[in-house]
Amino acid sequence: MKIAFICSDRGPCPPVKGGAIQLLISKIAPLIARSHDVTVFSITDPALPVHEKSGGVTWIRFDRSVFFPHVCESIRAGAFDLIQVYNRPGWLAELRQAAPDARLFLSLHNLIYDTLKMDRHLAAGCLQEADQVLTVSRFVAEDTVAKFPGLEEKTHVLYTGVDTNEYAPVWSEKGKEWRNQIRARYQIAGDERVLLFVGRLVSEKGCHLILEAMKELSETSGRVRLLIVGSKWYADDAPSGYIEKLKQAADELEERVVFTSYVPVEEIPKYFAASDIFICPSQWKEPLARVHYEAMAAGLPVVTTARGGNPELFLNDGAAKIIRRYKDPRAFAQVLNPLLADPDLADQMGRAGRSKVEEIYNFQRVADELETLYQTVTRQAEK
């Protein structure tokens, strides 16, 4: 088949400026290209050519200001059999006009209306054009079906994953090497326990709650540091009022908090290896944060909130602790104290998570599941 992946216009692909969607496409497109003719459309970036062939994939990039019109022109001329558009349901109607005979797949990474702001009438019409709607979590799937009755049969949950080769578990030789490297960079002693936050520094991500919890942890758990990896937006180190408040709170904890600011995608695995416990204190209706997959790949125990799709990866297993009182810093401290006091328990949780990504939550499984869906929808269309 001739397949087009249309990236959202929030960032370039591959993710030279970060982005979960951009990373996902950059990893699965070469796997799909082993059996199909694959073209990826994304916005331009000075670090990337406007046209290239790499990994068996054709990459075509347009300036953001003219991105979607140019994509439609390419789709109209390209005779694609299947088109997969990421997180832009509003594009489906025009894509259907550009390629009336193609199968249209919509990959949803956020909630329609809540995050993806759309007119309700327009959204309903566009979604009817999709042959398949893929969602990153059951939470997103249920929300979508509730808002658009009749989509049940063509909505499918497709959990994503990681490239396990890019993450070194903390007990591996490479993991130990990375651990020493990052800890030396930030003067973190070998016997200090490190809590890790990775994400955008905005209030809905909840980093302030870990800082509040740290006040109690610093009194009860001995030598513990908090490593905060991220900035207010991908590849953007600009200050913000929220970041200033975080730093003011960190001042009260003396030298127990380290801010790294923005870290390139390829460096992120090293920061996981340098840490002991990963925390996702998300406060919003998180579709399902990909940092959970990354933490499991690095062999870290996960502490996350019962928000949106985040708990779905950890039902009935020992890889994570779920915080239901997600607005209460004391709830974080109550979960973290036992993990800090019992490294063996933390290790067991981390190994359970690593096993899960090796078996299930990896990009090869994502590509295989997509292939099956492509074949199923194509066969149905031919009947």
Side-chain angles (χ1 to χ4, degrees):
M1 283 190 290
K2 190 173 182 181
I3 298 172
F5 288 118
I6 304 176
C7 189
S8 74
D9 52 356
R10 294 292 292 273
C13 186
V16 293
K17 286 187 168 63
I21 290 174
Q22 290 76 13
L23 178 63
L24 173 62
I25 294 173
S26 71
K27 293 298 183 180
I28 63 170
L31 298 176
I32 299 295
R34 293 173 181 173
S35 305
H36 303 280
D37 181 351
V38 176
T39 299
V40 173
F41 295 96
S42 90
I43 65 170
T44 54
D45 187 88
L48 298 168
V50 296
H51 189 286
E52 66 175 319
K53 184 85 172 182
S54 175
V57 177
T58 300
W59 306 81
I60 300 175
R61 303 179 181 96
F62 300 118
D63 186 81
R64 177 180 281 151
S65 64
V66 294
F67 178 67
F68 186 56
H70 280 35
V71 167
C72 286
E73 290 178 12
S74 298
I75 292 296
R76 196 171 287 112
F80 290 96
D81 301 298
L82 191 146
I83 300 164
Q84 186 158 342
V85 59
Y86 283 79
N87 230 27
R88 291 294 180 264
W91 291 351
L92 288 173
E94 289 185 61
L95 288 171
R96 175 59 72 200
Q97 291 180 356
D101 297 324
R103 307 277 70 77
L104 289 185
F105 277 53
L106 171 65
S107 291
L108 277 179
H109 291 240
N110 291 99
L111 303 184
I112 298 178
Y113 305 150
D114 300 70
T115 305
L116 302 176
K117 307 298 183 183
M118 289 187 70
D119 174 81
R120 290 177 179 267
H121 179 72
L122 173 63
C126 287
L127 285 167
Q128 290 303 315
E129 301 294 346
D131 292 286
Q132 188 80 197
V133 177
L134 309 179
T135 67
V136 293
S137 64
R138 187 173 62 254
F139 171 69
V140 175
E142 291 174 351
D143 179 86
T144 303
V145 169
K147 290 171 178 171
F148 303 96
L151 290 182
E152 293 90 342
E153 291 188 5
K154 60 181 181 182
T155 298
H156 181 89
V157 179
L158 183 65
Y159 294 108
T160 63
V162 292
D163 183 342
T164 53
N165 294 320
E166 293 182 352
Y167 289 80
V170 294
W171 55 82
S172 69
E173 289 304 313
K174 181 182 285 188
K176 293 174 183 175
E177 178 185 337
W178 286 350
R179 185 180 184 86
N180 292 335
Q181 177 184 334
I182 297 301
R183 284 182 172 233
R185 182 179 301 172
Y186 296 101
Q187 290 87 52
I188 301 172
D191 63 343
E192 287 184 284
R193 302 279 283 165
V194 172
L195 309 178
L196 177 67
F197 170 91
V198 177
R200 291 185 293 115
L201 297 183
V202 292
S203 60
E204 58 263 32
K205 290 292 186 177
C207 189
H208 56 283
L209 288 157
I210 314 177
L211 284 165
E212 286 295 316
M214 278 289 291
K215 295 176 182 178
E216 179 177 335
L217 295 174
S218 62
E219 297 175 358
T220 59
S221 296
R223 292 170 63 81
V224 57
R225 298 279 285 274
L226 172 60
L227 186 58
I228 298 175
V229 179
S231 55
K232 75 172 186 178
W233 190 249
Y234 307 114
D236 183 356
D237 286 335
S240 72
Y242 179 72
I243 293 174
E244 288 306 310
K245 289 180 180 179
L246 292 180
K247 291 184 175 179
Q248 289 172 11
D251 287 343
E252 299 177 21
L253 295 163
E254 298 178 345
E255 297 182 354
R256 292 183 179 271
V257 182
V258 175
F259 290 88
T260 70
S261 195
Y262 172 75
V263 172
V265 173
E266 64 273 12
E267 289 289 304
I268 289 292
K270 296 181 180 179
Y271 288 79
F272 281 98
S275 307
D276 297 287
I277 300 170
F278 173 75
I279 312 172
C280 178
S282 193
Q283 298 294 292
W284 69 303
K285 294 178 180 179
E286 188 92 55
L288 201 168
R290 70 159 289 103
V291 284
H292 295 94
Y293 298 110
E294 296 171 340
M296 287 192 288
L300 291 184
V302 172
V303 174
T304 192
T305 54
R307 295 295 286 155
N310 286 348
E312 292 179 29
L313 299 180
F314 308 107
L315 301 177
N316 304 316
D317 71 21
K321 300 290 185 182
I322 311 298
I323 294 178
R324 305 202 177 277
R325 299 196 333 268
Y326 57 89
K327 293 183 179 295
D328 185 355
R330 292 169 298 180
F332 287 87
Q334 289 168 5
V335 167
L336 289 166
N337 265 320
L339 285 175
L340 290 166
D342 190 348
D344 288 339
L345 172 60
D347 179 72
Q348 291 172 15
M349 291 174 61
R351 290 178 185 272
R354 175 69 187 192
S355 294
K356 288 181 70 170
V357 297
E358 288 176 343
E359 295 170 10
I360 305 171
Y361 299 122
N362 55 76
F363 289 125
Q364 185 60 62
R365 192 271 310 160
V366 177
D368 290 344
E369 199 166 339
L370 268 179
E371 286 256 24
T372 300
L373 286 168
Y374 292 163
Q375 298 296 341
T376 299
V377 171
T378 300
R379 283 196 299 269
Q380 290 172 347
E382 292 172 349
K383 290 182 180 179

